[in-house]
């Protein structure tokens, strides 16, 4: 790495080394912030103009928070760092030989160091045809689309007269028993069984059915078995039907087939797997089963000390050989490490190997229900839920977001109401028509619109 610093220095005093960061998530943003004041120019590239706090996306999907509560402009976040510029574009490849990033709209961008933090997307394990019927939650667009599905199902069930169709509308299937699946199922149960009961006249708290499917033998497998058992008990108390060792064989617009049993449901949500971005393809290396780029303790892919791969894009292990989880603390610590390593290289030094500090693991189940694993200390119930709330508010970006989320959660806790129950877009084309009114109004004028009476 010292040779790299010498090479940069030889380029002349007029040019400062250029660090390119691909991805404005937890890892990329942490790297950019950690390079504040460093003698480098930083370009952060992202296809979206906002940083998203993904752990709370499920709350947007279940009408608990609005998108603006958990997102912030990347430009605004980095506005006070004069050595950082933000570029809205897509990356389509990396030319390692010439040290350039290939962009979708702009000219290739040269780099001295490259930090790839492009995250992950949904994985359907080879069944991509399931995606339209079982969307996942990785972006704001995903969350608002799921919110639309859930709220439309409730609206249609309010007036549906066919009993079988009504049951399908009020059945919600969540596939995947990790933190996202458990939190999503619990939030839907609270929304469908508690929050809406005061607003609808024909939907009672016991009308809805929420099914959580997990292929493994327990929920939340990243937690100790005792906490997994408590999580299952807590979510079942909310009215969620948990099915373990469930083998999903088909998903379509009418429901899910699992272990030969047909569950009729108009709303299915995928939380079962993720796949890394195309970074392995860009770097010409073989990714692991999830498509992640194998990296060493220095976070470099094999043979290229000018590139760091971090977060969900990297397949990294700790000192014991255990794979690091795809969670925000890992990405943030790796982003900070990459920045430290670049600073060290500029001084002709080598950085110590990356070491992940595990501060604990938390998951919420529902109102006043959560579990927290801090190693020897394990917390459940209301204390764990309060810790979860404080931690998530603290790690949000910006004081406005922290205040907004805190007030929204307090209001929801006191009133059982959810303040973001908005169905965006035109819902009329999706609703069934009963008859045309035009004949009753006489002969329709040429070019006049058709009138229909909606149920």
């Amino acid at each position: 790495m010292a040779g790299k610093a010498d090479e940069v220095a030889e380029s002349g005093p007029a040019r400062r080394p250029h660090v390119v960061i691909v991805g404005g998530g937890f890892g990329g943003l942490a790297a950019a912030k950690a390079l504040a004041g460093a003698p480098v120019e930083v370009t952060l590239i992202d296809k979206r103009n906002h940083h998203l706090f993904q752990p709370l996306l499920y709350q947007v999907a279940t009408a608990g928070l609005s998108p603006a509560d958990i997102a912030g402009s990347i430009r605004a976040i980095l506005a006070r760092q004069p050595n950082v510029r933000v570029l809205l574009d897509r990356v389509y490849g990396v030319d390692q030989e010439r040290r350039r990033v290939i962009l979708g709209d702009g000219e290739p961008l040269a780099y001295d160091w490259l930090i790839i933090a492009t995250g992950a997307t949904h994985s359907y394990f080879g069944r991509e045809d399931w995606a339209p019927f079982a969307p996942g939650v990785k972006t704001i667009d995903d969350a608002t689309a799921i919110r639309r599905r859930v709220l439309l199902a409730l609206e249609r069930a309010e007036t549906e007269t066919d009993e079988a169709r009504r049951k399908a509308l009020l059945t919600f299937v969540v596939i995947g028993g990790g933190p996202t699946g458990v939190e999503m199922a619990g939030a839907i149960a609270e929304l469908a069984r508690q929050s809406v009961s005061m607003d609808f006249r024909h939907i009672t708290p016991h009308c809805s059915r929420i099914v959580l499917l997990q292929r493994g033998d327990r929920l939340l497998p990243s937690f100790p078995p005792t906490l997994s058992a408590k999580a299952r008990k807590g979510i079942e108390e909310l009215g969620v039907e948990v099915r373990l060792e469930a083998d999903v064989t088909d998903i379509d617009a009418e429901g899910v087939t699992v272990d030969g049993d047909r569950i009729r449901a108009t709303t299915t949500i995928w939380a079962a797997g993720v796949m890394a971005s195309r970074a392995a393809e860009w770097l010409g290396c073989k990714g692991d089963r999830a498509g992640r780029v194998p990296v060493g303790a220095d976070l470099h892919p094999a043979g290229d000390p000018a590139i760091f791969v971090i977060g969900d894009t990297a397949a990294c292990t700790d000192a014991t050989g255990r794979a690091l989880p795809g969670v925000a603390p890992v990405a943030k610590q790796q982003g900070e490490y990459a920045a430290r390593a670049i600073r060290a290289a500029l001084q002709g030094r080598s950085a110590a190997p990356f070491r992940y500090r595990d501060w604990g693991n938390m998951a919420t189940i529902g109102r006043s229900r959560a579990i927290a694993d801090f190693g020897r200390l394990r917390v459940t119930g209301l204390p764990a839920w309060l810790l979860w709330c404080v931690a998530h508010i603290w790690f949000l970006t910006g004081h406005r977001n922290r205040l907004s989320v805190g007030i929204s959660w307090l209001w929801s806790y006191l009133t059982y109401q959810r303040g973001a129950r908005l169905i965006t877009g035109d819902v009329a084309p999706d609703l069934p028509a009963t008859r045309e009114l035009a004949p009753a109004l006489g002969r329709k004028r040429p070019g006049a619109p058709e009138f229909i009476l909606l149920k």
Side-chain angles (χ1 to χ4, degrees):
M1 188 65 86
K4 173 68 178 174
D6 295 339
E7 177 184 334
V8 172
E10 291 172 1
S11 63
R15 177 184 175 274
R16 298 210 298 180
H18 188 204
V19 179
V20 174
I21 303 172
V22 183
F26 290 108
L29 204 60
K33 287 182 175 181
L35 287 169
V40 295
E41 296 297 328
V42 180
T43 299
L44 190 150
I45 308 169
D46 200 292
K47 62 183 179 182
R48 297 182 178 87
N49 76 331
H50 56 267
H51 168 73
L52 179 64
F53 192 77
Q54 282 193 348
L56 292 181
L57 261 180
Y58 81 95
Q59 294 223 355
V60 175
T62 55
L65 297 173
S66 71
D69 291 336
I70 64 168
S73 165
I74 296 175
R75 291 186 184 277
I77 294 170
L78 300 174
R80 296 187 179 183
Q81 289 186 223
N83 68 329
V84 178
R85 69 164 178 155
V86 178
L87 192 61
L88 185 67
D89 208 335
R90 288 177 178 267
V91 172
Y92 284 91
V94 176
D95 184 349
Q96 292 177 265
E97 183 177 351
R98 302 173 67 180
R99 290 182 179 170
R100 302 188 308 170
V101 174
I102 310 303
L103 302 178
D105 296 328
E107 295 295 322
L109 192 64
Y111 66 84
D112 294 294
W113 283 281
L114 173 63
I115 301 174
I116 300 178
T118 44
T121 186
H122 320 298
S123 173
Y124 291 89
F125 308 111
R127 292 300 305 266
E128 303 307 317
D129 55 309
W130 289 352
F133 312 117
V137 192
K138 283 294 182 183
T139 67
I140 286 178
D141 292 338
D142 294 336
T144 53
I146 289 175
R147 183 181 69 185
R148 174 186 170 89
R149 287 194 183 201
V150 171
L151 296 180
L152 271 179
L154 295 171
E155 293 286 349
R156 291 169 177 169
E158 173 77 355
T159 56
E160 182 59 61
T161 57
D162 181 86
E163 186 62 24
R165 178 65 178 168
R166 189 169 186 268
K167 286 183 177 179
L169 286 167
L170 291 174
T171 299
F172 304 89
V173 179
V174 179
I175 302 175
T180 299
V182 169
E183 291 169 351
M184 179 71 74
I188 292 176
E190 291 186 336
L191 173 66
R193 289 176 171 266
Q194 297 175 0
S195 299
V196 303
S197 61
M198 293 180 287
D199 298 340
F200 290 85
R201 299 295 176 261
H202 301 288
I203 299 177
T204 67
H206 299 289
C207 289
S208 302
R209 180 189 182 194
I210 299 91
V211 183
L212 177 60
L213 304 177
Q214 164 69 334
R215 190 170 188 178
D217 59 358
R218 62 186 178 97
L219 299 179
L220 301 173
S222 61
F223 286 81
T226 55
L227 292 183
S228 295
K230 288 183 179 293
R232 178 178 180 179
K233 180 182 178 182
I235 203 167
E236 287 178 336
E237 289 174 351
L238 287 174
V240 176
E241 177 186 331
V242 177
R243 296 181 60 170
L244 301 178
E245 298 182 336
D247 185 19
V248 176
T249 56
D250 192 33
I251 305 174
D252 56 36
E254 298 298 324
V256 177
T257 302
V258 52
D259 295 326
D261 180 25
R262 182 67 173 171
I263 302 175
R264 288 200 61 193
T266 59
T267 304
T268 303
I269 300 169
W270 185 265
V274 294
M275 177 66 67
S277 68
R278 297 174 56 192
E281 179 182 331
W282 298 345
L283 302 179
C285 63
K286 183 178 180 181
D288 67 359
R289 293 176 58 186
R292 298 174 299 182
V293 177
V295 297
D298 52 9
L299 303 185
H300 296 311
D304 199 333
I307 296 178
F308 298 87
V309 183
I310 64 175
D312 290 348
T313 317
C316 187
T317 59
D318 61 16
T320 66
R322 180 177 62 94
L324 295 182
V327 294
V330 172
K332 293 179 71 172
Q333 291 182 36
Q334 289 180 335
E336 292 165 355
Y337 172 86
R340 289 198 306 272
I342 290 172
R343 286 177 178 271
L346 290 169
Q347 298 172 2
R349 299 184 293 104
S350 296
F354 171 72
R355 179 186 176 189
Y356 172 56
R357 294 186 176 182
D358 189 353
W359 299 110
N361 199 8
M362 293 186 288
T364 183
I365 302 160
R367 179 186 176 89
S368 303
R369 293 177 171 90
I371 59 174
D373 177 23
F374 301 112
R376 294 182 180 180
L377 176 63
R378 297 172 183 175
V379 187
T380 62
L382 179 60
W385 183 75
L386 291 173
L387 286 172
W388 182 92
C389 291
V390 170
H392 282 69
I393 290 175
W394 177 260
F395 286 111
L396 280 167
T397 301
H399 297 300
R400 189 203 70 83
N401 284 10
R402 296 187 187 107
L403 181 62
S404 177
V405 170
I407 292 174
S408 295
W409 282 351
L410 180 61
W411 176 259
S412 298
Y413 185 83
L414 295 175
T415 66
Y416 288 89
Q417 291 293 313
R418 292 180 175 243
R421 297 212 308 265
L422 303 179
I423 302 175
T424 56
D426 184 10
V427 303
D430 297 326
L431 297 176
T434 54
R435 64 183 179 89
E436 293 184 0
L437 289 178
L441 299 175
R443 185 181 300 276
K444 182 171 72 69
R445 300 190 312 274
E450 296 281 354
F451 291 90
I452 59 174
L453 178 63
L454 300 177
K455 267 188 184 178

